[in-house]
Amino acid sequence: MVLSDPDIPHSWTYLPDVAAALVTVATDERAWGRAWHIPTSPARGMRAMAERLCDLAGAPAPRLSRLPGWALTAAGVVSPLLNEMRETRYQFDRPFVVDSSAFTATFGVTATPMDEALEETIASWRAR
């Protein structure tokens, strides 16, 4: 179950890229005085992400369906996590695309290629 249309473009940022970008802006005076978008791979929908993740993991193709808004609201009554998901649902109801080209142009830092990020994530989960 996904929060909205699984084909709406969404920007996904790999957590190690977040950490590297935070170190960059903390140690480079060019970062001062403005907000920066962390290097982020090109946007893709949840369906595309799930399909690619399953493909790389050797898992069956996912079957995605949209969770009705009323179900999320009802579940949020008993689950604090699902209640909070209502607050961020807007990020999934329409395209949520981040342009991190200014960060890359300024600092020369790019996003980890999505396949590499997914493969490292799969390896991490398998190691648990």
Side-chain angles (χ1 to χ4, degrees):
M1 300 289 286
V2 296
L3 294 178
S4 67
D5 178 348
D7 298 309
I8 292 175
H10 186 87
S11 290
W12 306 93
T13 307
Y14 186 45
L15 188 56
D17 290 346
V18 174
L22 291 174
V23 169
T24 298
V25 298
T27 59
D28 192 317
E29 289 185 11
R30 294 175 296 170
W32 294 8
R34 68 164 287 181
W36 296 95
H37 289 297
I38 290 170
T40 301
S41 295
R44 58 174 79 176
M46 283 183 272
R47 182 184 321 277
M49 284 292 288
E51 288 172 349
R52 189 64 184 141
L53 181 65
C54 288
D55 185 48
L56 291 170
R63 295 180 315 199
L64 302 180
S65 59
R66 185 177 183 166
L67 180 69
W70 65 264
L72 183 61
T73 300
V77 171
V78 295
S79 169
L81 174 64
L82 291 177
N83 188 49
E84 289 301 317
M85 292 302 293
R86 290 182 349 186
E87 297 292 323
T88 59
R89 185 178 179 144
Y90 72 93
Q91 296 176 6
F92 299 92
D93 285 340
R94 55 188 173 272
F96 192 81
V97 179
V98 172
D99 176 3
S100 58
S101 59
F103 194 100
T104 298
T106 303
F107 304 109
V109 178
T110 60
T112 300
M114 187 54 67
D115 277 5
E116 182 180 331
L118 292 175
E119 288 169 346
E120 289 176 9
T121 300
I122 292 164
S124 174
W125 277 98
R126 287 184 171 154
R128 290 179 182 213

